[in-house]
Amino acid sequence: MATDPLLRQGPDSTDLVLRAGPAGPARNALTSAGSALFAPLALGVPTLVVAFWMALAGARASTVFVVVGVIAGLEYLLGWLALACSRARDILRVEFAPAGVPASLRLVRGAGPDDWLPVDTLREVRLTHKVVEPYQGDRKPAVSTLALELVLRDGRERLDPLPFGGDPQRLADALEALLGPAAVVVDLRTEHSTRDEPRSHSTWFSGGSASANSGGG
């Protein structure tokens, strides 16, 4: 069977790894704690407005600092909760067991694994490989992403595009070899596009200058 870095075969299961790292409520809460620090920064303008309004109202500096600290703390806690809840549904990997010819599968999310399902619950795996090429003269490299969609009997699971530096055809072949006996369809689509070139404002300035000169004549 073809191999790909995202498809890893273990003793008990073959895993389609999408995001590295262990799963579980505690792990999800800990990993979300650091990113939640950006919440008070993102909401810094309203906090500064409150501090400025209190200063104009004659509040003491110590009172302003306490109120700003409380607001920032609440923003952090709310951001932590929102981020943890959002990441709890993120799919980290898809496990197929047993490793050789799978008879069941389960989705492992940030909050932990779902229940095992019969493999025939999965009808189709859709891979969309997008490559954004640089325009002529662009120094930035091409960007390659891979989006995954699992078509299940009772719904669909879509994952946002992830950075991908491997061979999508090898991954599709590996999945087809693994899931072919269960009659699961594996569909690969590749889309190429060119990054938009930033527009120069020199034409606008020259046009404005020309209009002004012609009007003065």
Side-chain angles (χ1 to χ4, degrees):
M1 183 179 68
T3 59
D4 188 275
L6 288 182
L7 197 62
R8 301 175 184 173
Q9 184 170 352
D12 300 322
S13 65
T14 299
D15 301 342
L16 177 59
V17 181
L18 304 169
R19 296 181 176 90
R27 179 70 178 182
N28 180 50
L30 290 175
T31 55
S32 301
S35 302
L37 291 172
F38 290 98
L41 297 178
L43 300 175
V45 173
T47 305
L48 291 177
V49 170
V50 172
F52 182 71
W53 178 81
M54 292 181 62
L56 290 180
R60 299 174 59 181
S62 58
T63 304
V64 174
F65 286 140
V66 170
V67 171
V68 169
V70 171
I71 294 176
L74 291 175
E75 291 171 347
Y76 173 75
L77 291 177
L78 292 176
W80 187 2
L81 178 61
L83 190 60
C85 291
S86 175
R87 289 185 173 181
R89 297 293 300 170
D90 288 345
I91 299 177
L92 304 182
R93 61 186 181 273
V94 185
E95 296 181 349
F96 302 95
V101 181
S104 58
L105 67 91
R106 69 176 178 179
L107 306 179
V108 180
R109 305 179 187 273
D114 291 351
D115 295 333
W116 286 100
L117 300 172
V119 72
D120 59 7
T121 304
L122 180 62
R123 302 295 181 84
E124 185 178 358
V125 178
R126 296 176 181 174
L127 302 172
T128 303
H129 181 227
K130 294 185 178 181
V131 180
V132 180
E133 303 283 355
Y135 56 85
Q136 186 175 3
D138 186 10
R139 297 182 178 180
K140 295 181 181 179
V143 177
S144 175
T145 59
L146 185 69
L148 174 69
E149 181 178 0
L150 303 176
V151 181
L152 303 171
R153 182 185 302 168
D154 299 328
R156 300 183 181 186
E157 292 283 353
R158 295 185 178 91
L159 280 82
D160 294 333
L162 301 172
F164 184 73
D167 185 348
Q169 188 60 58
R170 290 180 61 188
L171 176 60
D173 292 343
L175 287 171
E176 189 172 4
L178 178 68
L179 301 174
V184 178
V185 177
V186 179
D187 179 39
L188 172 63
R189 299 179 182 179
T190 301
E191 302 176 3
H192 288 269
S193 62
T194 303
R195 186 179 298 119
D196 293 335
E197 184 176 358
R199 296 181 179 181
S200 175
H201 297 286
S202 58
T203 303
W204 185 85
F205 284 116
S206 62
S209 177
S211 300
N213 292 336
S214 61

